[in-house]
Amino acid sequence: RQRLYLQRPLFSSRTQRHTERWRIVLLVDQSGSMVDSVIHSAVLASCLWQLPGMDTSLAAFDTQVVDLTDELTDPVELLMKVQLGGGTDIAAAVGWAAGQVNSPHRSVVVVISDFYEGGSAQLLVRRVRDLVAGGTTVLGLAALDRHANPAYNHELAGDLVAAGAEVAAMTPGELAVWLAEKVRR
């Protein structure tokens, strides 16, 4: 019949399993209202910077978004030097972050802010909703005051939660556990 039949196939593969890396986009609020939270924000960013198996971008924002990714060796030192001040446009920062996401189901956008939006709160909520609907995990880390007490706009944080984000006020140690839960999915 001129056919070949395999009785017991054996295979040896030389291919290496490649896993897609996670993308972490850190947005750090540097507006005037974050003065008490500067050190806390810098430490949180430092905890997330260069995690193994993750590609991380870092931007500081007030009414402008400044991409700090290429200038970064030590997040704490850089964020302590770069104090933008002024107003807050979280929606613009989230819009910038959306442009950094290339694989939504393996991306986390982390917004470290007090959530006092000086721009359009509706635009911010819509952008967060769009990111979440596309599969991106959006985490909001609320600012802490100099005594480590939560100090943020609860109403806007609630709107972001309703849009699909997760918002919490936590220490850097708690953040590591929280983020690990998100990337295990």
Side-chain angles (χ1 to χ4, degrees), residues 84-123:
L84 302 174
T88 310
D89 192 345
I90 307 168
V94 171
W96 177 86
Q100 303 299 306
V101 171
N102 50 14
S103 179
H105 293 284
R106 294 192 60 84
S107 296
V108 180
V109 172
V110 180
V111 182
I112 303 172
S113 178
D114 58 8
F115 301 107
Y116 287 100
E117 176 64 287
S120 171
Q122 294 81 12
L123 178 59

Side-chain angles (χ1 to χ4, degrees), residues 42-77:
V43 170
L44 287 174
S46 182
C47 289
L48 296 175
W49 180 251
Q50 291 186 334
L51 289 172
M54 307 214 181
D55 292 324
T56 307
S57 294
L58 173 67
F61 70 93
D62 56 6
T63 55
Q64 303 174 36
V65 180
V66 179
D67 184 354
L68 302 173
T69 305
D70 292 335
E71 302 172 34
L72 197 57
T73 54
D74 179 6
V76 173
E77 182 180 343

